[in-house]
Amino acid sequence: MRTLDGKIAVVTGSTSGIGLAIAEGLAAQGAHVALNGFGDRDAIEALRARIAEANGVHAIHVDADLSTGEGARGLIERTVSELGAPDILVNNAGIQHVAPVDEFPPEKWDALIAVCLSAVFHTSRAALPAMKAKNWGRVINIASAHGLVASPFKAPYVAAKHGVVGFTKSLALEVAETGITANAICPGYVRTPLVDGQVKDQAKVHNMSEEDVIRNVILAVQPTKRFVDPSEIAAFVAFLCSDGARSITGAALTIDGGWTTR
């Protein structure tokens, strides 16, 4: 039995990595999905068509630029126009840049905060009125273990993800008497294109090989010594969207191989 038949889901940053796995997982449960992200148009169209055909759902792609409020709001507006008002919003899009604070380019700070934090506000603000009208909704923000703990050379990312966790908690309190829940998922390191970029950046910062960075820098903090698989996060999201999770709200939920237990 599919648990989300007829629901409409928006997943930001969903043309690869974690977001794509989440979108596929929601579609497998019967949700119509709005994909978002940049990349090769033909490849994205193939993804969209495959998700729709494999699951018997509608799927669209919206190449909204989440670095601006207008773009983030436009993503929700386009979804409403083509699929209907979202029942589920998964804020997953993210970018990264690694450098010491005194060497961090200000424009990189602005871009990172815009995509990783401000977009979460803009999409949520646009999606909430319809959720309130339905008295049902799920807002799931993909934060990070870095929303709970810190690492050097990642000050903007850590600040943004802590902000996402705080925003999620505040939102959950605001909608606590409706059928809407808001939760943050805080993954450890997941092998995605974003993490591959971090590996290269950290190798430069630490003057190490990429293999040594993976074992001794990145996975040093993850007791399981393995990357989290995107499918694990997708399954977690699908559960949070189910009725069985209707009393889980305002939580920062870790899936980090034990990282934040230290």
Side-chain angles (χ1 to χ4, degrees):
M1 178 180 175
R2 305 203 303 187
T3 60
L4 299 174
D5 271 327
K7 299 294 188 186
I8 297 168
V10 174
V11 186
T12 71
S14 51
T15 52
S16 66
I18 296 170
L20 176 57
I22 291 170
E24 290 176 321
L26 294 176
Q29 291 300 321
H32 307 300
V33 294
L35 302 172
N36 160 256
F38 300 120
D40 180 79
R41 287 186 177 275
D42 290 340
I44 292 172
E45 171 55 23
L47 284 176
R48 185 208 62 75
R50 175 174 58 79
I51 290 171
E53 183 177 353
N55 300 287
V57 301
H58 298 297
I60 64 171
H61 171 250
V62 184
D63 59 351
D65 180 2
L66 300 185
S67 68
T68 70
E70 181 181 8
R73 292 187 296 272
L75 169 60
I76 303 302
E77 291 167 1
R78 173 96 173 270
T79 301
V80 171
S81 174
E82 297 192 24
L83 291 179
D87 303 286
I88 298 163
L89 171 63
V90 183
N91 284 302
N92 168 75
I95 58 175
Q96 179 62 289
H97 183 77
V98 177
V101 168
D102 57 332
E103 299 176 14
F104 213 98
E107 65 275 12
K108 294 285 188 181
W109 167 279
D110 292 341
L112 201 151
I113 295 297
V115 173
C116 295
L117 178 57
S118 296
V120 174
F121 161 74
H122 290 297
T123 56
S124 298
R125 182 177 182 273
L128 278 168
M131 291 183 183
K132 288 181 176 180
K134 298 177 186 180
N135 203 39
W136 197 97
R138 296 290 186 267
V139 179
I140 301 171
N141 297 322
I142 307 302
S144 167
H146 279 121
L148 303 172
V149 298
S151 294
F153 310 115
K154 297 182 179 181
Y157 189 79
V158 171
K161 293 302 185 179
H162 272 71
V164 168
V165 170
F167 174 84
T168 304
K169 290 180 178 182
S170 184
L171 175 58
L173 293 175
E174 291 182 17
V175 299
E177 294 188 49
T178 72
I180 303 168
T181 65
N183 290 289
I185 293 179
C186 301
Y189 283 105
V190 185
R191 196 64 187 263
T192 65
L194 179 61
V195 168
D196 285 339
Q198 292 180 47
V199 169
K200 295 181 188 304
D201 290 342
Q202 290 277 14
K204 293 177 183 176
V205 168
H206 295 285
N207 194 27
M208 298 169 64
S209 71
E210 291 184 14
E211 292 75 16
D212 284 343
V213 166
I214 290 172
R215 175 71 184 177
N216 300 321
V217 177
I218 293 181
L219 293 184
V221 298
Q222 207 146 295
T224 56
K225 298 299 180 186
R226 69 170 181 83
F227 286 106
V228 178
D229 192 84
S231 65
E232 298 174 72
I233 300 171
F236 207 172
V237 169
F239 168 68
L240 289 175
C241 291
S242 72
D243 286 340
R246 63 186 178 275
S247 295
I248 301 174
T249 194
L253 302 161
T254 60
I255 179 168
D256 63 3
W259 174 357
T260 55
T261 63
R262 292 183 183 277

